[in-house]
Amino acid sequence: MKKALVCGAGGFIGGHLVNRLKSEGYWVRGVDVKENEYENRNADEFILGDLRDPAVADEVITSDLDEIYQLAADMGGAGFVFTGTNDAAIMHNSVLCNLNVLEAAKNKGVKRIFYSSSACMYPEHNQMDPNNPKCSEESAYPANPDSEYGWEKLFSERLFLAYQKNHGIEARIARFHNIFGPQGTWDGGREKAPAAVCRKVAMAEDGGSIEIWGDGKQTRSFLIVDECVEGIRRLMLSDFSGPVNIGSEEMISLNDFAKMVIDISGKSLSINNIPGPLGVRGRNSDNHLIQEKLGWAPSTPLRKGVEKTYDWISEQIQKKVLEPVEA
Ligand code: NAD
Ligand code: GDD
């Protein structure tokens, strides 16, 4: 039986990945600073621990592991990563997790490690035209990410590749493009646009309005988490290190995305564009490389993933409303 460690198992993608590995017959250890709020703890072993502490990395990374999936990071949507107020914490916390995990993996002789990078590492100057952003893998350099979160991801990609080169750990690196779906953060300030818009629509009175940050003409592509996990597994099983995009090529403007969610809800709502943290003007996954190297690329239509997510977020809102208020 293969043994895997999922770092960040208390989080959104990590939680889904634990389930996927279990369904494939793996023995799975999870580690995170927090429990997974939505999962039924499907990992064989779940350790609450802070990977900024090298002793924790040393404890959870044992020499019997076949694979490590490093998804632990200080992360959030535009309201968290593009305001500038969390920059030092994001860089400090995420880079420490990566350093500690890699060093322990080297010391314990673990042979294969996955790293979750982000589309946020692509240069800002290639993402100014909302209708024609460039995010092909080779366009990463000369580097010019628009956020410190993106710079940290770019540095850490290089860190994983350096450990591969100097210490023989097989690195597999993916650049995720805005992953969404059930069990993703949907409130509290770290939520990304897909969850935020679903929440706003679900909470709005029929006939009312919802607020969308910016002029709504900025573009993104959003990928349902099941496809992301499929991509992670295919990359891990391949002989290609990456970095490679894992994202959707179905680009959409934010206002059109909001219209899609409103349509799914069956409500009649207007859109109010307001100032907010924006990030790049346009972004879309380029899937040529993943198709070439893995013979596969995500194909689930955006609307299908949004329908599932809208239903799930509506249920969460209902549960919160019904929760008894603590005295
Ligand atoms: P998430 O916030 O749900 O999961 C990250 C998990 O890491 C959290 O549960 C958090 O508690 C944990 N963590 C943070 N600091 C830790 C520490 N010091 N020790 C132990 N655990 C710690 O986010 P996610 O969406 O599941 O993202 C997973 C990974 O994918 C992250 O590295 C993120 O940067 C990357 N990524 C995600 C997206 C996306 O759209 N979701 C896009 C690009 C990259
Ligand atoms: N979060 C959020 N909430 N974004 C909104 C909202 C809202 O209510 N309304 C409009 N937006 C706009 C943002 O201003 C931004 O222009 C766009 O929707 C997308 O925002 P996010 O989904 O929050 O972030 P992102 O796509 O810019 O970046 C995310 O994806 C990256 C990977 O592609 C972040 O989560 C990054 O951390 C991640 O690496």
Side-chain angles (χ1 to χ4, degrees):
M1 185 188 274
K2 278 199 163 186
K3 288 191 160 191
L5 170 70
V6 177
C7 304
F12 167 47
I13 303 172
H16 282 270
L17 182 60
V18 167
N19 291 348
R20 171 65 185 257
L21 290 168
K22 284 304 302 168
S23 76
E24 289 185 37
Y26 275 68
W27 183 93
V28 183
R29 176 182 297 141
V31 59
D32 203 298
V33 278
K34 67 169 182 69
E35 301 273 1
N36 195 307
E37 303 155 64
Y38 305 112
E39 282 301 316
N40 319 322
R41 308 212 175 83
N42 289 327
D44 296 279
E45 191 175 284
F46 186 93
I47 297 175
L48 267 181
D50 190 334
L51 288 166
R52 291 173 300 180
D53 179 352
V56 171
D58 192 57
E59 177 198 343
V60 299
I61 295 177
T62 46
S63 55
D64 57 345
L65 290 173
D66 297 290
E67 297 170 0
I68 298 174
Y69 295 81
Q70 180 8 27
L71 293 101
D74 212 350
M75 129 87 180
F80 182 72
V81 296
F82 302 140
T83 58
T85 48
N86 302 306
D87 285 352
I90 289 170
M91 296 182 97
H92 172 266
N93 296 339
S94 298
V95 89
L96 277 183
C97 291
N98 292 328
L99 284 165
N100 290 336
V101 166
L102 276 167
E103 193 59 15
K106 179 195 85 178
N107 293 338
K108 302 292 173 66
V110 180
K111 288 281 168 275
R112 193 166 279 224
I113 188 159
F114 172 86
Y115 175 57
S116 50
S117 181
S118 165
C120 284
M121 45 60 61
Y122 283 114
E124 183 177 21
H125 55 252
N126 286 334
Q127 300 172 87
M128 305 295 247
D129 177 356
N131 299 313
N132 199 21
K134 183 175 179 182
C135 292
S136 49
E137 286 81 352
E138 88 297 340
S139 71
Y141 297 97
N144 181 25
D146 71 320
S147 66
E148 302 306 347
Y149 170 83
W151 278 106
E152 189 281 324
K153 288 292 187 189
L154 195 58
F155 168 79
S156 290
E157 285 186 1
R158 302 185 70 94
L159 188 66
F160 278 78
L161 291 173
Y163 270 74
Q164 171 164 266
K165 185 168 64 183
N166 296 159
H167 300 303
I169 304 175
E170 295 265 345
R172 298 287 178 269
I173 303 171
R175 293 173 178 162
F176 294 159
H177 288 247
N178 211 320
I179 313 301
F180 74 101
Q183 298 165 9
T185 306
W186 58 277
D187 67 354
R190 289 191 188 228
E191 65 279 11
K192 292 173 280 104
V197 175
C198 286
R199 185 198 69 228
K200 289 176 183 184
V201 170
M203 293 183 75
E205 296 275 348
D206 200 3
S209 66
I210 59 157
E211 291 180 339
I212 293 293
W213 299 341
D215 64 6
K217 292 181 184 150
Q218 71 269 42
T219 53
R220 293 292 185 276
S221 71
F222 304 116
L223 182 70
I224 186 74
V225 64
D226 314 66
E227 291 272 47
C228 174
V229 170
E230 181 69 31
I232 294 172
R233 288 295 297 139
R234 284 177 184 259
L235 179 61
M236 199 63 161
L237 293 171
S238 80
D239 57 8
F240 181 53
S241 287
V244 65
N245 292 329
I246 295 187
S248 162
E249 287 186 329
E250 192 179 336
M251 189 170 80
I252 189 166
S253 75
L254 262 294
N255 273 0
D256 283 348
F257 180 74
K259 285 176 195 159
M260 180 188 280
V261 180
I262 292 167
D263 188 53
I264 288 168
S265 76
K267 296 180 186 178
S268 170
L269 299 173
S270 58
I271 296 169
N272 187 12
N273 290 108
I274 61 160
L278 300 175
V280 292
R281 191 72 183 135
R283 176 172 289 150
N284 193 15
S285 186
D286 179 321
N287 288 350
H288 286 95
L289 188 65
I290 194 168
Q291 188 66 59
E292 180 196 323
K293 297 292 183 184
L294 304 187
W296 172 89
S299 57
T300 305
L302 174 62
R303 189 175 172 112
K304 200 172 161 198
V306 178
E307 284 170 353
K308 204 157 96 168
T309 308
Y310 180 79
D311 286 348
W312 182 81
I313 290 177
S314 300
E315 276 170 32
Q316 303 313 303
I317 293 168
Q318 284 305 313
K319 278 187 197 159
K320 256 202 171 163
V321 169
L322 295 175
E323 259 175 23
V325 181
E326 300 271 328

